[in-house]
Amino acid sequence: MNIFFRELKVYRKSLLFWSLGMIALVASGMAKFAAYSNTGQSMNAILSQFPQSIQTIFGLTGFDLSKASGFISVLFMYIALMATIHAVLLGAGIISKEERDKTAEFLFVRPINRARVISSKIAAGIINLVVINIVTFISSVYFVNYFTKDNSTINYVITLMCGLFFLQLMFFFIGTAVAAINNKSRTSASIATSVLLFSFILTFLININNDLKNLKYLTPFKYFDAKDLLATGKLDVIYVSISLVVVFVMIFMTYMSFANKDLND
Amino acid sequence: MNIIETKKLTKYYGNSPGIIDLDLSVEQGEIFGFIGPNGAGKSTTIRTLLGLIRPTGGSATIFGKDVVKFSPEINEEVGYLPSEVFYYDDMRAIDLLKYSGSFYKKDQKVIAKRINDLAAYLDLDLKKKIDDLSYGNKKKVGIIQGLLHQPKLIILDEPTGGLDPLMQQRFFALLKEENKKGATILFSSHILSEVQKLCDRVAIIKDGKIIKVERIDSLIENTNKRFKLETAVKVDKSRFTGLTGISDLVITDNSISFLYRGKINDVTKIIASLNLTNMLVEEPDLEEIFLHYYATD
């Protein structure tokens, strides 16, 4: 338990800042919605004038932006990006920092096996993910309510947050796996972030180019696309299953690679 | 029983060897020196023993238990002080040491008392943040975290850097005391005088291989002593003929210098017959012995 509490303490400041960032993102996003709807003009009409590719890049296609649900769907793309960057950095950092900061020689000469160290760190990491998720949920509900007085979206927001949590878990464990496999602790965070950016960009490419739609299984962002979630109102069983497989494979790789790793500085 | 035993222990980093076929045994209760220059494989051996890195060949046991399989169990009774200490900078010394102690099964109250005793002995302010400590004071934190659980085996990897002579003396006294209480010590160093001061036996390592394991005293005994004599008149070289074990004989007007290895009585008989004004017999220091092993490749 000592490592678990130690990690919570180490990350509490970073968690605070990420939470504030998330609140700011949701607040400013919804404030824009309020501004748009106050102009009295139809947002949809204006935005439909934009070239298709621009609309796609900003994730505007297929949403009715005159409704709060449509607006938060657009915002979800940015929320997901922010939450997954947090998750992947957290995952890579929490595992690699002992080597990076040369404290591995302190921690791993204690009478504790490596798997237990990893478990404590993962547990502390998941607490951080949950906090970010709850903060996102509460601020979404609050600001949607504040700017639109529209209470009908709460169930939809819950669905989005469930999707968000799967995204957070996947990228968190991609981070831990990268850190466990990679022997150069300093590069773990950037490798893990590259994986994230690659899948984010791939999502755009798939959205723009219909020929690439079979690649959708390669990017977790497509698993929980707000467009689909809004249409069906629930998570797709197949995508949830794939997510769970990704999570378990990454967990397995994290433990296996770390068990036999050379801990150098 | 040997506390540490390695059999053909080998560690390659990719294609470059760290240690090759290392056979080492450290007996219970001894202070074992491990000397060699930087990059010879001292740290690699130690890190393998501690379970930080995995061997690519051979095996090693501590307390009779395999270091790969039983590393956590072994570490319960091992204290380690690395050459460079890096700790969580945001913690205060006392928090770090308590955190460190929290991993051991021993009574935490006993550990807390031990932390305070050691800090008082080493003159360390426990309330300071690690970040604000000088290199030498960080080293003291290192010493305390290595000894706070009263380990049966203490492993030290070039531990004296950053300690002033007074602290070094206290540190050595501390180690000797632990040793008296039954702790076995593995002391790695490239500073030979400190090994000489502390150790019973010593292994000399070079290029990942052990080239000699010897008792410190016999290592010194079996080597040459340097004699420097001053005489009232010039002595003829022939006085020393017939003496076996003499070398490097230089005679000038009123001084004689030579290296001697053999029975002391034989050489003193000859010296007694000379008209001496002064005499000096020097032990070779480990430095010279060491160079001897390193020069003969």
Side-chain angles (χ1 to χ4, degrees), chain A residues 143-196:
Chain A
F143 287 110
V144 166
N145 205 27
Y146 183 83
F147 288 113
T148 70
K149 315 287 177 223
D150 179 354
N151 288 325
S152 64
T153 56
I154 189 153
N155 284 332
Y156 176 53
V157 172
I158 290 173
T159 311
L160 285 177
M161 290 308 119
C162 291
L164 183 67
F165 193 59
F166 279 108
L167 283 171
Q168 286 175 291
L169 282 180
M170 273 187 278
F171 281 105
F172 176 73
F173 286 113
I174 287 171
T176 61
V178 166
I181 293 164
N182 183 23
N183 274 325
K184 288 194 180 119
S185 52
R186 262 166 207 82
T187 59
S188 291
S190 44
I191 293 174
T193 316
S194 308
V195 173
L196 177 115

Side-chain angles (χ1 to χ4, degrees), chain A residues 44-59:
Chain A
N44 290 327
I46 297 168
L47 291 173
S48 63
Q49 301 300 310
F50 284 18
Q52 184 66 30
S53 56
I54 299 288
Q55 288 190 42
T56 313
I57 284 172
F58 289 102

Side-chain angles (χ1 to χ4, degrees), chain A residues 2-4 6-7 9-10 97-98 101-114 258-265, chain B residues 11 13 47 50-54 71-73 75-76 78 80 82-84 86-88 90-91 96 99-100 102-104 145 149:
Chain A
N2 40 12
I3 297 178
F4 173 74
R6 164 81 192 143
E7 293 300 344
K9 209 174 161 191
V10 169
K97 72 183 163 76
E98 306 292 349
D101 300 342
K102 305 187 181 189
T103 47
E105 278 198 341
F106 172 85
L107 186 59
F108 293 98
V109 301
R110 306 296 152 197
I112 182 164
N113 71 38
R114 294 184 182 188
F258 204 83
N260 290 309
K261 188 177 196 189
D262 280 350
L263 297 170
N264 286 316
D265 39 26
Chain B
K11 175 67 188 177
Y13 297 102
R47 298 167 68 86
L50 290 164
L52 287 167
I53 58 176
R54 306 300 195 200
S71 183
E73 210 177 312
N75 286 343
E76 188 75 42
V78 175
Y80 169 56
S83 52
E84 283 182 88
F86 291 98
Y87 301 125
Y88 308 103
D90 58 317
M91 286 176 131
L96 180 99
Y99 181 51
S100 167
S102 70
F103 290 94
Y104 300 94
Q145 63 80 34
H149 54 298

